[in-house]
Amino acid sequence: MGKKITTLRDLIGAIKDKASQSKAAFISKPSSFSLHLAVLRATTHTPSSPPDDHHISSLLTLGDSSRATASSLIVIIMDRLHRTGDSTVALKCLLIIHQIIKRGPFILLDQLSVFPSTGGRNYLKLSAFRDGATASRFTISAWIRFYSRYIESLLYTSRILGYFLSSSSSYNTDEKISTFLNSDLIRDVDSLVQLIEETVKLPDSLLLDGNKLLYEVIGLLNSDYLSTVNELLIRLSEFSERLSCLSFGDSVELSFILKRLEECKERLSILFSIKKPSTESLWCSVSELSIKINDLKVDFSKRKLITFEKLSESARFNNRVMKFGDSVQFSSGRYEMNNLPLMIVKGIN
């Protein structure tokens, strides 16, 4: 019976896809019909598999022609995402957006970065998404809410970094990182840790058995995680080089960020169980840098205490001079000369 329901669902999905294509042909402008058709082909209602790679490649190629075309394509994808109540279609739309971030040409990435023009944290507006058609779809809705928040965080972090994280078009920052201000480095590390904090919120009910769409999501998350680790390693290495230049405030802020990162370690080890040299290096770097920062804070405290003691000692010395100065016997001529008029007056009297 389950198989019949699945077959019936697939049939209904195919009918919906045909209806969507007919609607696109009816309402679309001739110039944008090919874009609508490409998006519909990549976001079918069929739940058995993620978008075909050749459909995604076709979208990326279409988006690499002109700024106007790229802008129209992003609008069509977002419109498809926001109008659907089907969890399969919504998940495929999010996967396409994620693939654009990873593989998209610069012109398409640029249009994605400025949509919507009003900005905002609820970028994809899926915080209330619910598909209650079946129990499994209702559960997958939690994945969609998580995945949309994650992509929002990925886009936010990319804006902070100035380039798209894990994108094939990203540039190498190793040489440029040494020119960054401490505040810029702290801001970057904070945004990268925010992305990791969003990653570990992945739903506990994995539902991975046979669900190729969710396997695809996990694969992309894993790739992003490794890219995030590499970006963090570059910046933490730079912090190790300039520890002596950190202010007390910067050291406290960085220490707090590293603590937040360490709190994600256990959950990350469960989600991404395959160990990589880069992830091992990250946790070693975090541990070593945390120890150095704590030593630095102790040094700050000692220097502050010594300064305070010197100031206190100076104040006590000044108080002693002011209090006992009248009774101290001076033998200098300057003192005698200063008191000469008084001695003459006394002699006259």
Side-chain angles (χ1 to χ4, degrees), residues 294-305:
N294 286 333
D295 291 342
L296 186 65
K297 287 191 288 186
V298 170
D299 185 53
F300 272 124
S301 299
K302 286 181 178 178
R303 278 188 281 170
K304 187 176 180 181
L305 179 61

Side-chain angles (χ1 to χ4, degrees), residues 296-319:
L296 186 65
K297 287 191 288 186
V298 170
D299 185 53
F300 272 124
S301 299
K302 286 181 178 178
R303 278 188 281 170
K304 187 176 180 181
L305 179 61
I306 291 171
T307 302
F308 177 76
E309 287 177 345
K310 285 182 177 179
L311 289 172
S312 299
E313 182 64 29
S314 176
R316 287 196 296 271
F317 176 74
N318 290 334
N319 287 337

Side-chain angles (χ1 to χ4, degrees), residues 18-30:
K18 288 293 183 182
S20 297
Q21 292 177 19
S22 299
K23 182 179 178 181
F26 182 73
I27 66 173
S28 300
K29 296 178 181 179

Side-chain angles (χ1 to χ4, degrees), residues 1-13:
M1 185 173 181
K3 187 174 181 180
K4 291 182 179 179
I5 293 174
T6 302
T7 303
L8 178 60
R9 186 177 300 149
D10 288 347
L11 177 61
I12 294 172

